[in-house]
Amino acid sequence: MSLSREQVNAINHERASSNRTLRSIAEGLEEHLYVAKPVLDHGFIRVIDYMGNDAAITQAARVSYGKGTKSVQSDEGLIRYLMRHSHSTPFEMCEIKLHVKLPVFVARQWIRHRTANVNEYSARYSILDREFYIPEPDQIHAQSNVNSQGRGGLLDGDEAARVLAILKADSTRCYDNYEAMISQDGQQGLARELARMNLPANVYTQWYWKVDLHNLFHFLKLRADEHAQYEIRVYAQGLCNIVAAWVPFAYKAFEDYQLDAVSLSAQMVEVLRRMLNGEKVDQDTSGLSRREWREFMSVFGES
Amino acid sequence: MSLSREQVNAINHERASSNRTLRSIAEGLEEHLYVAKPVLDHGFIRVIDYMGNDAAITQAARVSYGKGTKSVQSDEGLIRYLMRHSHSTPFEMCEIKLHVKLPVFVARQWIRHRTANVNEYSARYSILDREFYIPEPDQIHAQSNVNSQGRGGLLDGDEAARVLAILKADSTRCYDNYEAMISQDGQQGLARELARMNLPANVYTQWYWKVDLHNLFHFLKLRADEHAQYEIRVYAQGLCNIVAAWVPFAYKAFEDYQLDAVSLSAQMVEVLRRMLNGEKVDQDTSGLSRREWREFMSVFGES
Amino acid sequence: MSLSREQVNAINHERASSNRTLRSIAEGLEEHLYVAKPVLDHGFIRVIDYMGNDAAITQAARVSYGKGTKSVQSDEGLIRYLMRHSHSTPFEMCEIKLHVKLPVFVARQWIRHRTANVNEYSARYSILDREFYIPEPDQIHAQSNVNSQGRGGLLDGDEAARVLAILKADSTRCYDNYEAMISQDGQQGLARELARMNLPANVYTQWYWKVDLHNLFHFLKLRADEHAQYEIRVYAQGLCNIVAAWVPFAYKAFEDYQLDAVSLSAQMVEVLRRMLNGEKVDQDTSGLSRREWREFMSVFGES
Amino acid sequence: MSLSREQVNAINHERASSNRTLRSIAEGLEEHLYVAKPVLDHGFIRVIDYMGNDAAITQAARVSYGKGTKSVQSDEGLIRYLMRHSHSTPFEMCEIKLHVKLPVFVARQWIRHRTANVNEYSARYSILDREFYIPEPDQIHAQSNVNSQGRGGLLDGDEAARVLAILKADSTRCYDNYEAMISQDGQQGLARELARMNLPANVYTQWYWKVDLHNLFHFLKLRADEHAQYEIRVYAQGLCNIVAAWVPFAYKAFEDYQLDAVSLSAQMVEVLRRMLNGEKVDQDTSGLSRREWREFMSVFGES
């Protein structure tokens, strides 16, 4: 990630001046404000603004006149209770606004989360930067044989090198031609809204993205999951750190009851009951499909 | 509106302590924070928290690294441009959280605005207050003869007095019986989730309500309108004052291009063109239905 | 539930005439169309329209040019896979439209599910029917001592009788006065939008409600749950039967992986692993709170 | 647009078999079902399913027991009234499901409309077709000098030819390299989720898109507008024809009160009043900004 001097100055300027407010603050998040946290080779996440903190969750759950905190302990207990029992509306009372720089193919997955507010950099209006995502060598994987929408093992060195060479060359050429088409030097210059169609999906875009905490948790549950594509997962993991600093009780509850939780089908519960009674169960006698049995064993199989 | 001493203390306590933050603030809204603004006889609106200000709108529209303000003048111009051309997403970048006390029949209209976050006081869990909306005498109207979902003229004194007497007596009796049913004095006491069904729709409830500025404007356009029922309109008008203090440029643009704007059908535009050319047009020659012609005349008829 | 002769005729008329369509149909749901299924004392659910069936889910998941079905077996397998792995968007491709009659206090819980379309009978425009929910004697419970938002044991006979007498008397009186206020017999007649505020929360309202299958499942997971209030749970259970007739594969998958599934926290998974290894675990050594341990034991405790 | 023989067969198969249903049908739309309507060089729109028709709008507005139609005339009048007064919920009671093939840069604009259901062809799972949008020569415009996010005049022949040559060459090369990277011929083959990043934004994708009529109208108002980019506008225009066949009354009301309507600011209304009174008004005396005056004159200026 490289920011221009102008951008660095703008960020530093923001961090230099503080204001007095009667609003609640989240101390742990103040120190992250505005700072660009690098993700991938040219991407970043910046926290622009936030509303609420752990206490705001219990305040709303109690429809309080004041802060709504009783004691730190009872607040944490209430937050864990709300999370465990899918009482989602109090978590919607916290809101965060981010500035994110990310490759277009990641943005296309991200935008599928509809309950959020977005302002994207307009390539109709402005010229995109010459920045493309080129994977690190340890992220150049073959198509998976098991999971048809995932990655298998690493490509061997020669093949990986060929891939890298292609990605770099095509990105460069496409951007050179993008610039050539919009240039007004000795020609009229193609409209930007047309020229952008020549740019590949690894070009970086950026947007302001604003979301409430409940919907952010939903995003993180799906995108910090090991089945998510690596390139969006690293953004989700960066966000996990930010959320942990912002609302530590809520984040811990999310980890315990959502992110690291396991959902058992009615059939799996029955299998577990039999196993706890000392019965020896295998796939044949479990009533589970092979795929379900494999998923079940990955959690409860002997190590 | 009457708050308990405990509630007043909680509010004063909130207003007494300020914090330092690196976030942007909206000076005009800070002084409104937490204060209960009376609406109707027992209702109120309290601003609990907010995110953003006028500059946050242009910052998002420009996907800026810093504040995104260029000059106050160009900011206002951009905000007006965005409002005029239905570029709604930058307005979604501001958010406000309110604590509202309101009669149930108003809450039932309000909740129809779905793009918002709500935590309502639970009458399954808690006991509702003995507070009912009783209209002022100057708000006791007959059914309209013109508009089948509106009010006509004021009821005359005797009839109005009968109405008031009924509303007061029924509210009181229903609440007395509500208390009698849940009482655990010499009996088991009915479950609250059942007892509440005896309370009429003018009982007050309360909730935390959080919404972004774009969707708040949509709410205000419909509910501050003269066709809205008086009892929700006074809440909308109270909110208009709050929004004007929070984001003055955006609010002015909303007034000019939405709240006080007029939408002309294709046919009405044609009629106006003919009138500007000096032609005398009446309903017969206008091609408008009688109802449309009446609406048209209410804006452009001779005074 | 009692429908007027006119309403019965309208329903019969709808069922009498069929149309030819090129669209897919759901045979199991056709026979339910338009029929009013009774719920509570005066309520009902009627299916008005639907879009899609089990095959529409796989068709969308595969972005097919034709029906998208491969074989019935592979379709069911794919539907179960999608449900198990939270791939929710294909389930959004089915839609259902209902006409529901329900008490206002149930409607107030129901409307909290925001991702749906609603047209409610307008009490500003029309006069509500004289119909109130009066619980059956076996549904008149005391406040729970354990769960502060639930019901405990049945009230004893005398207390239950007092409750019933109150509910009936107050409903009747409030409605009598509602009628008296809006009457234009010898007086002007109060506006309906005002008079309705005198009606208690057990009065019946009705609406058209339209929702996609994914969001309907979410509704059913929360409202067919034993923690939901009885009066909304019976509607949810009625809906479960309708959905089972409409999309049998999807409904079975929903039952197995959602409705009857159990979510285990990270800590609970660890406890289960220890128990499967033969360790004796109790609350003290489990690391779970007392409340969590009770919830855990209710699933995996010895019978 | 070219469909494979297999795709044509699948579509013909769908159209060959009809079903009996008790549901309402929209005769005008039945004949469009499944047929691929060409848009741009390789795109199309296909109607896959629908729910409701004009009568369904009034049925929901009236919360009817039967069809809810009174007379064709009163239905049309009610629909026009609902549209004119922003009563949007009855229009949400109609739903349509489409299969659309479109360039990625168009899909990126389209997806910003969040209140819709989407299943997109997965380039993690499947291999994209070798199909790229290449503009017709009469759509190769220069950047606009007036509107910084739009097109100006046509590029002259030589420059347009250079642009076309670049777009074709880069698309072809990128796709060749995409195929080379995923090939498992003599190498492991790069994961599809990575290889896709080499494809430019004019590659075609496809999705199932389902939306209610109110939100579809909102989409059409923004995207059938002359300020929308040509490449999405042609899709919106194709949709306008489909909607006109589906719900002719609602579509006509949409045209008159939304698509072809004009919104006047409070200031513009005042200017019009002065002009109707015979006053000569120019920009200086109007109180409008130059930009607003230009917009005003484009509607009401002398021809």
Side-chain angles (χ1 to χ4, degrees):
Chain A
M1 180 194 70
S2 64
L3 299 174
S4 71
R5 174 180 299 266
E6 196 179 53
Q7 289 161 352
V8 171
N9 285 348
I11 291 171
N12 288 341
H13 185 260
E14 291 285 306
R15 283 202 59 80
S17 61
S18 71
N19 301 295
R20 283 229 154 263
T21 182
L22 292 176
R23 292 175 292 168
S24 298
I25 64 165
E27 300 234 7
L29 197 54
E30 287 281 331
E31 64 194 75
H32 293 275
L33 273 168
Y34 308 121
V35 180
K37 315 271 180 184
V39 188
L40 296 178
D41 49 357
H42 300 292
F44 61 71
I45 301 173
R46 295 171 61 223
V47 181
I48 298 298
D49 208 342
Y50 68 87
M51 174 191 282
N53 52 25
D54 273 327
I57 298 165
T58 60
Q59 180 194 39
R62 296 185 181 120
V63 191
S64 305
Y65 281 77
K67 275 224 164 28
T69 42
K70 297 193 165 170
S71 68
V72 168
Q73 199 184 357
S74 90
D75 271 16
E76 179 170 17
L78 177 52
I79 286 172
R80 293 182 70 81
Y81 172 86
L82 295 169
M83 180 69 76
R84 205 159 66 239
H85 291 277
S86 304
H87 291 301
S88 53
T89 55
F91 297 99
E92 297 176 16
M93 289 288 150
C94 294
E95 188 93 11
I96 196 165
K97 193 196 294 179
L98 307 166
H99 179 190
V100 186
K101 189 160 193 172
L102 71 178
V104 161
F105 72 95
V106 174
R108 296 236 296 134
Q109 295 185 318
W110 193 308
I111 200 79
R112 302 297 299 275
H113 296 263
R114 288 161 291 186
T115 312
N117 311 115
V118 190
N119 278 279
E120 187 172 354
Y121 188 85
S122 169
R124 293 182 74 192
Y125 188 90
S126 307
I127 299 171
L128 287 168
D129 293 334
R130 183 190 280 269
E131 287 179 327
F132 296 87
Y133 170 60
I134 305 293
E136 293 295 310
D138 68 351
Q139 286 302 329
I140 304 188
H141 292 78
Q143 179 71 16
S144 167
N145 296 320
V146 187
N147 176 355
S148 38
Q149 64 174 350
R151 303 185 186 182
L154 277 177
L155 290 192
D156 70 41
D158 279 3
E159 190 176 345
R162 282 201 302 276
V163 163
L164 277 179
I166 286 174
L167 292 176
K168 285 178 189 167
D170 281 357
S171 301
T172 303
R173 186 184 302 102
C174 285
Y175 196 87
D176 287 346
N177 282 329
Y178 168 70
E179 277 190 325
M181 290 190 289
I182 59 179
S183 166
Q184 299 184 333
D185 193 3
Q187 61 177 14
Q188 293 171 272
L190 183 65
R192 288 165 198 156
E193 67 176 26
L194 288 169
R196 60 172 166 168
M197 79 171 78
N198 203 54
L199 294 173
N202 61 339
V203 70
Y204 275 86
T205 183
Q206 48 183 303
W207 60 32
Y208 269 55
W209 191 67
K210 174 169 151 289
V211 70
D212 68 63
L213 182 57
H214 167 66
N215 281 287
L216 180 53
F217 279 146
H218 187 69
F219 177 91
L220 295 178
K221 178 154 176 60
L222 294 180
R223 303 304 180 177
D225 185 89
E226 60 175 325
H227 294 92
Q229 182 167 349
Y230 168 78
E231 281 78 14
I232 195 166
R233 201 165 67 234
V234 289
Y235 283 89
Q237 287 163 345
L239 284 171
C240 282
N241 295 334
I242 287 167
V243 177
W246 176 27
V247 281
F249 289 161
Y251 184 74
K252 184 67 172 67
F254 164 68
E255 266 193 344
D256 290 346
Y257 300 123
Q258 296 268 338
L259 194 59
D260 300 338
V262 169
S263 179
L264 299 180
S265 68
Q267 290 81 1
M268 287 177 179
V269 169
E270 196 45 43
V271 170
L272 268 176
R273 284 195 185 116
R274 288 160 60 194
M275 290 167 76
L276 288 171
N277 276 333
E279 191 180 334
K280 189 85 188 162
V281 184
D282 58 20
Q283 193 238 314
D284 274 355
T285 60
S286 71
L288 303 180
S289 72
R290 272 169 51 191
R291 185 150 199 166
E292 286 178 278
W293 180 255
R294 200 168 61 225
E295 291 169 14
F296 181 75
M297 277 294 108
S298 76
V299 180
F300 292 110
E302 291 170 82
S303 52
Chain B
M1 181 195 68
S2 65
L3 299 174
S4 71
R5 175 180 298 266
E6 197 180 53
Q7 289 161 354
V8 171
N9 286 347
I11 291 172
N12 289 341
H13 185 261
E14 290 286 307
R15 283 202 56 81
S17 61
S18 71
N19 300 293
R20 283 230 154 263
T21 183
L22 292 176
R23 293 175 291 169
S24 298
I25 64 166
E27 300 234 6
L29 196 54
E30 287 281 330
E31 64 194 73
H32 293 275
L33 272 169
Y34 307 122
V35 180
K37 315 272 179 184
V39 187
L40 297 178
D41 48 358
H42 300 292
F44 61 71
I45 300 172
R46 294 173 60 225
V47 181
I48 298 299
D49 208 343
Y50 68 88
M51 174 190 281
N53 51 25
D54 273 327
I57 298 165
T58 59
Q59 180 194 39
R62 295 183 181 121
V63 192
S64 305
Y65 280 77
K67 275 221 166 30
T69 42
K70 296 195 166 167
S71 68
V72 168
Q73 197 184 358
S74 90
D75 271 16
E76 180 170 17
L78 177 53
I79 285 172
R80 293 182 71 81
Y81 173 85
L82 294 169
M83 180 70 75
R84 204 160 65 238
H85 291 277
S86 304
H87 291 301
S88 53
T89 55
F91 297 99
E92 297 176 17
M93 288 289 150
C94 294
E95 188 94 10
I96 195 164
K97 193 197 295 180
L98 307 165
H99 178 190
V100 185
K101 189 161 194 172
L102 70 178
V104 162
F105 72 94
V106 174
R108 298 236 296 132
Q109 294 184 319
W110 192 308
I111 200 78
R112 303 296 300 275
H113 296 263
R114 290 161 290 186
T115 311
N117 311 115
V118 190
N119 279 277
E120 186 172 355
Y121 188 84
S122 169
R124 294 182 72 190
Y125 189 91
S126 306
I127 299 172
L128 287 168
D129 293 333
R130 184 191 280 268
E131 287 179 328
F132 296 87
Y133 168 62
I134 305 293
E136 293 294 313
D138 67 351
Q139 286 302 329
I140 305 187
H141 292 77
Q143 180 71 17
S144 166
N145 296 320
V146 186
N147 176 356
S148 39
Q149 64 174 349
R151 304 184 185 182
L154 277 178
L155 290 192
D156 69 43
D158 279 2
E159 190 177 343
R162 284 201 303 275
V163 163
L164 277 180
I166 286 174
L167 292 176
K168 285 178 190 167
D170 281 357
S171 302
T172 303
R173 185 184 304 102
C174 285
Y175 195 87
D176 287 346
N177 283 328
Y178 168 70
E179 277 189 325
M181 291 190 288
I182 60 179
S183 166
Q184 299 184 334
D185 193 2
Q187 62 176 14
Q188 291 171 273
L190 183 65
R192 289 166 196 156
E193 67 176 26
L194 287 169
R196 61 171 165 168
M197 79 172 77
N198 203 55
L199 295 172
N202 61 339
V203 70
Y204 275 86
T205 183
Q206 47 184 304
W207 60 32
Y208 269 55
W209 191 66
K210 175 171 150 285
V211 70
D212 68 61
L213 182 59
H214 167 66
N215 281 286
L216 180 53
F217 280 145
H218 187 69
F219 177 91
L220 295 178
K221 176 155 179 59
L222 294 180
R223 303 305 179 176
D225 185 271
E226 60 175 325
H227 293 93
Q229 183 167 351
Y230 168 79
E231 282 78 14
I232 196 166
R233 201 166 66 233
V234 288
Y235 283 89
Q237 287 163 345
L239 285 172
C240 282
N241 295 334
I242 288 168
V243 177
W246 175 26
V247 281
F249 290 160
Y251 184 74
K252 184 68 172 66
F254 165 69
E255 266 194 344
D256 290 344
Y257 300 123
Q258 297 267 338
L259 194 60
D260 300 338
V262 169
S263 179
L264 300 180
S265 68
Q267 289 82 0
M268 288 178 179
V269 170
E270 196 47 41
V271 170
L272 269 175
R273 284 196 186 113
R274 287 161 59 195
M275 290 167 76
L276 288 172
N277 276 333
E279 189 180 338
K280 188 88 187 159
V281 184
D282 58 20
Q283 193 238 314
D284 274 355
T285 59
S286 72
L288 303 180
S289 72
R290 271 169 50 191
R291 186 150 198 165
E292 286 178 278
W293 179 255
R294 199 167 61 227
E295 291 168 14
F296 181 76
M297 277 293 108
S298 76
V299 180
F300 292 109
E302 290 171 83
S303 52
Chain C
M1 179 195 71
S2 64
L3 299 174
S4 71
R5 175 180 297 268
E6 196 180 53
Q7 289 161 353
V8 172
N9 285 347
I11 292 172
N12 289 342
H13 185 260
E14 290 286 307
R15 282 202 58 80
S17 60
S18 71
N19 300 295
R20 283 229 154 264
T21 183
L22 291 176
R23 292 174 293 168
S24 298
I25 64 167
E27 299 233 6
L29 197 53
E30 287 281 330
E31 64 194 76
H32 293 275
L33 272 169
Y34 307 122
V35 180
K37 316 270 179 185
V39 188
L40 298 177
D41 49 358
H42 299 294
F44 61 71
I45 302 172
R46 294 172 61 224
V47 180
I48 298 297
D49 207 343
Y50 68 88
M51 175 192 281
N53 51 26
D54 273 328
I57 298 164
T58 59
Q59 180 194 39
R62 294 184 182 122
V63 192
S64 304
Y65 280 77
K67 274 221 167 29
T69 42
K70 296 193 167 169
S71 68
V72 169
Q73 198 183 357
S74 89
D75 271 16
E76 179 168 19
L78 176 54
I79 285 171
R80 293 181 71 80
Y81 172 86
L82 295 168
M83 181 68 76
R84 203 159 67 240
H85 290 278
S86 303
H87 291 301
S88 53
T89 54
F91 297 99
E92 297 176 16
M93 289 289 151
C94 295
E95 189 94 10
I96 195 164
K97 192 196 296 180
L98 306 165
H99 179 191
V100 186
K101 189 159 195 174
L102 71 178
V104 161
F105 72 94
V106 174
R108 296 237 297 133
Q109 294 185 319
W110 192 308
I111 200 80
R112 303 296 300 276
H113 296 264
R114 289 161 290 187
T115 313
N117 311 114
V118 190
N119 278 278
E120 187 173 354
Y121 187 85
S122 169
R124 293 183 74 192
Y125 188 91
S126 307
I127 299 172
L128 287 168
D129 294 333
R130 183 190 280 270
E131 287 178 329
F132 295 87
Y133 169 62
I134 305 294
E136 294 294 312
D138 68 350
Q139 286 302 330
I140 305 188
H141 293 77
Q143 179 72 17
S144 167
N145 296 319
V146 187
N147 177 356
S148 38
Q149 63 174 351
R151 303 184 186 184
L154 276 178
L155 291 191
D156 70 43
D158 279 2
E159 190 177 345
R162 284 200 304 277
V163 162
L164 277 180
I166 286 174
L167 292 176
K168 285 177 190 168
D170 281 358
S171 301
T172 302
R173 186 184 303 102
C174 285
Y175 196 88
D176 287 346
N177 282 328
Y178 168 69
E179 277 191 325
M181 290 191 289
I182 59 179
S183 166
Q184 299 184 335
D185 193 3
Q187 62 177 13
Q188 292 171 272
L190 184 65
R192 289 167 197 155
E193 68 176 27
L194 287 169
R196 63 172 164 167
M197 79 171 79
N198 204 55
L199 295 173
N202 61 340
V203 69
Y204 275 85
T205 184
Q206 48 184 303
W207 60 32
Y208 269 55
W209 191 66
K210 175 169 150 287
V211 70
D212 69 62
L213 181 58
H214 168 65
N215 281 288
L216 179 53
F217 280 145
H218 188 67
F219 177 91
L220 295 178
K221 177 156 179 57
L222 295 180
R223 302 305 179 177
D225 185 89
E226 60 175 325
H227 294 93
Q229 182 167 350
Y230 168 78
E231 282 78 14
I232 195 166
R233 202 166 66 233
V234 289
Y235 283 90
Q237 287 163 345
L239 284 172
C240 283
N241 295 334
I242 287 168
V243 178
W246 175 28
V247 282
F249 290 162
Y251 184 74
K252 184 68 174 64
F254 165 68
E255 266 194 343
D256 291 344
Y257 300 122
Q258 297 268 338
L259 194 59
D260 300 338
V262 169
S263 179
L264 300 179
S265 70
Q267 290 82 1
M268 288 178 179
V269 169
E270 196 46 42
V271 170
L272 268 176
R273 284 197 185 112
R274 288 160 60 194
M275 290 167 77
L276 288 172
N277 276 332
E279 191 180 336
K280 189 86 187 161
V281 185
D282 58 19
Q283 192 238 314
D284 274 355
T285 60
S286 71
L288 303 180
S289 72
R290 272 171 50 193
R291 184 148 200 168
E292 287 177 279
W293 179 255
R294 200 168 60 226
E295 291 168 13
F296 181 75
M297 277 292 109
S298 75
V299 180
F300 292 110
E302 291 171 83
S303 54
Chain D
M1 181 194 70
S2 65
L3 299 173
S4 71
R5 174 179 299 264
E6 196 179 53
Q7 289 161 352
V8 171
N9 285 347
I11 292 172
N12 288 341
H13 186 260
E14 290 286 307
R15 283 201 57 81
S17 61
S18 71
N19 300 295
R20 283 229 152 262
T21 183
L22 292 176
R23 293 175 291 169
S24 298
I25 64 167
E27 299 233 8
L29 197 54
E30 287 281 330
E31 65 195 73
H32 293 275
L33 273 168
Y34 307 122
V35 180
K37 316 271 180 184
V39 188
L40 297 178
D41 49 357
H42 300 292
F44 61 72
I45 301 173
R46 293 174 60 224
V47 181
I48 298 299
D49 208 343
Y50 69 88
M51 173 191 281
N53 51 26
D54 273 326
I57 297 165
T58 59
Q59 180 193 41
R62 296 184 179 121
V63 192
S64 305
Y65 280 77
K67 276 224 164 27
T69 40
K70 297 193 166 169
S71 68
V72 169
Q73 198 184 358
S74 90
D75 271 16
E76 180 169 18
L78 177 52
I79 286 172
R80 293 181 71 81
Y81 173 86
L82 295 168
M83 180 69 76
R84 203 158 67 238
H85 290 277
S86 304
H87 291 300
S88 52
T89 56
F91 297 99
E92 296 176 15
M93 288 288 151
C94 295
E95 188 93 11
I96 195 164
K97 193 196 294 179
L98 307 166
H99 179 189
V100 185
K101 189 159 195 173
L102 70 179
V104 161
F105 72 94
V106 174
R108 298 236 296 134
Q109 294 185 318
W110 192 308
I111 201 78
R112 303 297 299 276
H113 296 263
R114 289 161 292 186
T115 311
N117 311 114
V118 190
N119 278 277
E120 186 173 354
Y121 187 85
S122 169
R124 294 183 73 191
Y125 189 90
S126 307
I127 299 172
L128 287 169
D129 294 332
R130 182 191 281 269
E131 288 179 326
F132 296 87
Y133 168 62
I134 305 293
E136 293 294 312
D138 67 351
Q139 287 301 330
I140 305 187
H141 293 77
Q143 180 70 17
S144 166
N145 295 320
V146 186
N147 176 357
S148 38
Q149 62 174 351
R151 303 184 185 181
L154 277 178
L155 291 192
D156 70 42
D158 278 2
E159 191 177 345
R162 283 200 303 276
V163 163
L164 277 180
I166 286 174
L167 292 176
K168 285 178 190 169
D170 281 357
S171 302
T172 303
R173 187 185 301 102
C174 285
Y175 196 87
D176 287 346
N177 282 329
Y178 169 70
E179 277 190 325
M181 290 190 288
I182 60 179
S183 165
Q184 298 184 334
D185 193 3
Q187 62 177 13
Q188 293 171 271
L190 183 65
R192 288 166 197 157
E193 67 177 25
L194 288 169
R196 62 173 163 167
M197 78 171 79
N198 204 54
L199 294 173
N202 60 341
V203 70
Y204 274 86
T205 184
Q206 48 183 304
W207 60 33
Y208 269 56
W209 192 66
K210 175 170 150 288
V211 69
D212 68 62
L213 182 59
H214 167 65
N215 281 287
L216 179 53
F217 279 145
H218 188 68
F219 177 92
L220 294 179
K221 177 156 177 59
L222 294 180
R223 303 305 179 176
D225 185 90
E226 61 176 324
H227 293 93
Q229 182 166 350
Y230 168 79
E231 281 78 15
I232 195 166
R233 202 166 67 232
V234 287
Y235 283 90
Q237 287 163 344
L239 284 172
C240 282
N241 295 334
I242 287 168
V243 177
W246 175 27
V247 282
F249 290 161
Y251 184 74
K252 183 67 172 67
F254 165 68
E255 266 193 345
D256 290 345
Y257 300 122
Q258 296 268 338
L259 194 60
D260 300 339
V262 169
S263 179
L264 300 180
S265 69
Q267 291 80 2
M268 287 177 181
V269 170
E270 196 45 43
V271 170
L272 269 176
R273 285 196 186 114
R274 289 160 59 195
M275 289 167 77
L276 288 171
N277 275 333
E279 190 180 337
K280 189 86 189 159
V281 184
D282 59 20
Q283 194 239 312
D284 273 355
T285 61
S286 71
L288 303 179
S289 73
R290 270 172 48 195
R291 184 151 199 165
E292 287 177 277
W293 179 256
R294 200 168 61 227
E295 292 169 13
F296 181 76
M297 277 294 109
S298 76
V299 180
F300 292 109
E302 290 171 85
S303 51

